[in-house]
Amino acid sequence: PGSTKTRRVRRRAVMLFKTGGERRTIGRTGILIYLSMGEHRAEIIGDEAITAVTTPETWGEAMAALITDVKAGRPGDGIVAAVERIGDVLAQHFPKTSTDTNEIPDKLIQL
């Protein structure tokens, strides 16, 4: 059932974020975009500082952009669109400064 798929994908995304990205940035501002092609589900997981200033609904536009392109057979474009919208939200709450460094590699990990 769809609800079971949703729970499984959410659990997996959270587990992967906890083992690979959570608390790995000084400001606790890491984000995971998790796309499960097999279950046709996606999740956006934010670190502690991000979840303190946003709600799950905050990511609605990013999720919609991701899903629209995935359904059209363009998952790469969907991820790019989601990253752009997530960047817009993060820029509002965590503007870039001259001392910012990229603490987590920006790369696609395919499992």
Side-chain angles (χ1 to χ4, degrees):
S3 60
T4 300
K5 288 180 183 180
T6 299
R7 279 194 310 274
R8 285 181 185 163
V9 168
R10 174 81 180 162
R11 254 194 324 255
R12 179 82 169 145
V14 168
M15 188 270 306
L16 289 170
F17 187 66
K18 286 183 179 288
T19 59
E22 185 179 47
R23 300 182 181 205
R24 289 190 54 194
T25 63
I26 293 169
R28 305 291 192 259
T29 55
I31 292 270
L32 171 72
I33 300 171
Y34 183 81
L35 177 61
S36 175
M37 299 298 285
E39 287 87 7
H40 302 279
R41 300 286 189 277
E43 289 285 338
I44 298 173
I45 308 290
D47 211 336
E48 187 177 302
I50 293 168
T51 58
V53 297
T54 63
T55 65
E57 293 77 24
T58 303
W59 310 114
E61 285 185 28
M63 187 64 78
L66 172 63
I67 299 303
T68 297
D69 282 335
V70 168
K71 284 182 177 180
R74 301 183 312 271
D77 291 342
I79 291 171
V80 168
V83 167
E84 288 173 348
R85 284 166 181 80
I86 289 168
D88 292 342
V89 171
L90 294 179
Q92 293 172 10
H93 297 286
F94 306 97
K96 186 173 173 86
T97 67
S98 61
T99 60
D100 284 343
T101 59
N102 196 4
E103 300 169 85
I104 299 175
D106 297 331
K107 65 179 181 177
L108 174 66
I109 300 173
Q110 189 171 352
L111 304 173

